[in-house]
């Protein structure tokens, strides 16, 4: 079993989550691309993808992976239609 303090989130985690909802980030963009490969995106999910496409403005940590995965998503979407 996990200890109680392991289950609680730190103030830094909460702050990062709050900032992450406002600033574009890699996690949201990659998650939307993965969902888009499995099924068509809803309008809300498309908006989230477009908003997060610039990825993290402070780094390029997942840019190559994002570009590859987005190309796969577009390919899968074109085969669906």
């Amino acid at each position: 079993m996990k200890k109680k303090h392991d289950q609680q989130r730190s103030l830094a985690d909460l702050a990062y989550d709050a900032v992450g909802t406002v600033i574009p980030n890699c996690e949201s963009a990659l998650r939307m691309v993965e969902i888009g490969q499995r099924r068509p995106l809803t309008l809300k999910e498309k908006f989230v993808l477009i908003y997060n496409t610039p990825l993290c403005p402070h780094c390029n940590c997942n840019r190559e992976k994002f570009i590859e995965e987005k190309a796969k998503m577009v390919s899968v979407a074109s085969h669906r239609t």
Side-chain angles (χ1 to χ4, degrees), residues 44-60:
K44 180 181 175 184
E45 291 168 339
K46 287 179 184 179
F47 177 75
V48 170
L49 178 62
I50 290 169
Y51 180 76
N52 288 296
T53 294
L55 303 179
C56 300
H58 58 277
C59 68
N60 286 322

Side-chain angles (χ1 to χ4, degrees), residues 33-51:
V33 169
E34 289 171 359
I35 291 171
Q37 289 175 1
R38 288 180 277 175
R39 61 170 175 80
L41 296 175
T42 64
L43 184 60
K44 180 181 175 184
E45 291 168 339
K46 287 179 184 179
F47 177 75
V48 170
L49 178 62
I50 290 169
Y51 180 76

Side-chain angles (χ1 to χ4, degrees), residues 6-42:
D6 288 340
Q7 293 174 348
Q8 293 178 348
R9 301 189 66 187
S10 69
L11 185 59
D13 290 336
L14 295 173
Y16 179 76
D17 289 345
V19 170
T21 59
V22 177
I23 296 174
N25 62 58
C26 301
E27 291 178 22
S28 297
L30 289 171
R31 185 175 61 245
M32 287 299 113
V33 169
E34 289 171 359
I35 291 171
Q37 289 175 1
R38 288 180 277 175
R39 61 170 175 80
L41 296 175
T42 64

Side-chain angles (χ1 to χ4, degrees), residues 5-6 19 22 69-70 73:
H5 71 277
D6 288 340
V19 170
V22 177
E69 295 298 319
K70 190 170 181 185
M73 182 186 78

